Amino acid sequence: MSEIPLTPAGREDIRKLEAALLVGALFRPEVMEALRDPVERLTWIDSLAAAAAALARQKAGMTVREIADEVGLSEAAIRRHLEGKTRAGELIMKVYEQFAREGVKVELPLEVERARELEEKLANARKAMEEAVSTLEEAARKLREAIESL
């Protein structure tokens, strides 16, 4: 069980709240019904994800401009989601209010936690590779200098 911070204090908390809002919204009966339509499915998921991302970042204290830049939407679109003027924004706000009222904790799927572990391992591997490349470049430079001095 992973506690979901309603006022995120950092990137990890923002991701947790964002994921919890999205999962909470996806399992609402009206959303489950809307997702049955394959034509609307991707639009719904995209809209819910954008609204969840916007609200989680707003709760972390980010400005509309910062949210728009980070999420990749216009400021107007972010405002519409945050003001509940979109169906997705309205649903995400309802989920947040439910979390605030009931102290909801959401258990993130094992795959999400595993993906985070793999992302961290990938980042570490990239760093190690960059260090190895730097070491090899330095060794090649020294080798060239040694050859030139002969």
Side-chain angles (χ1 to χ4, degrees):
M1 197 73 120
S2 177
E3 188 169 340
I4 305 302
L6 296 179
T7 306
R11 293 285 172 206
E12 184 63 23
D13 286 351
I14 289 172
R15 280 192 293 273
K16 284 180 181 179
L17 179 56
E18 183 178 350
L21 289 168
L22 184 56
V23 169
L26 285 172
F27 290 107
R28 292 180 69 89
E30 62 265 40
V31 175
M32 293 296 287
E33 184 62 33
L35 291 177
R36 293 181 198 273
D37 180 356
V39 174
E40 297 292 322
R41 187 175 300 137
L42 288 178
T43 301
W44 259 102
I45 292 172
D46 284 348
S47 294
L48 288 169
L55 186 60
R57 284 159 179 76
Q58 180 191 50
K59 295 300 180 184
M62 293 176 71
T63 66
V64 170
R65 180 164 200 65
E66 291 170 330
I67 296 167
D69 289 344
E70 192 165 303
V71 175
L73 294 175
S74 70
E75 289 180 41
I78 296 298
R79 277 192 199 89
R80 283 193 303 273
H81 282 312
L82 293 175
E83 293 168 0
K85 292 181 179 176
T86 64
R87 185 70 179 127
E90 180 185 346
L91 287 168
I92 292 296
M93 286 175 29
K94 283 181 182 178
V95 172
Y96 182 86
E97 290 165 2
Q98 178 185 352
F99 285 179
R101 208 175 36 252
E102 299 173 9
V104 174
K105 293 182 180 184
V106 174
E107 188 170 334
L108 296 176
L110 194 54
E111 294 80 15
V112 172
E113 295 301 325
R114 181 70 178 135
R116 286 191 185 146
E117 289 173 14
L118 291 174
E119 285 174 357
E120 186 176 327
K121 286 181 180 181
L122 179 59
N124 290 338
R126 282 186 180 142
K127 183 179 177 184
M129 184 181 70
E130 288 169 2
E131 290 171 359
V133 166
S134 178
T135 301
L136 286 171
E137 287 172 346
E138 178 63 19
R141 185 189 60 78
K142 287 181 179 179
L143 182 58
R144 279 192 301 275
E145 287 175 0
I147 289 171
E148 288 173 5
S149 68
L150 291 177

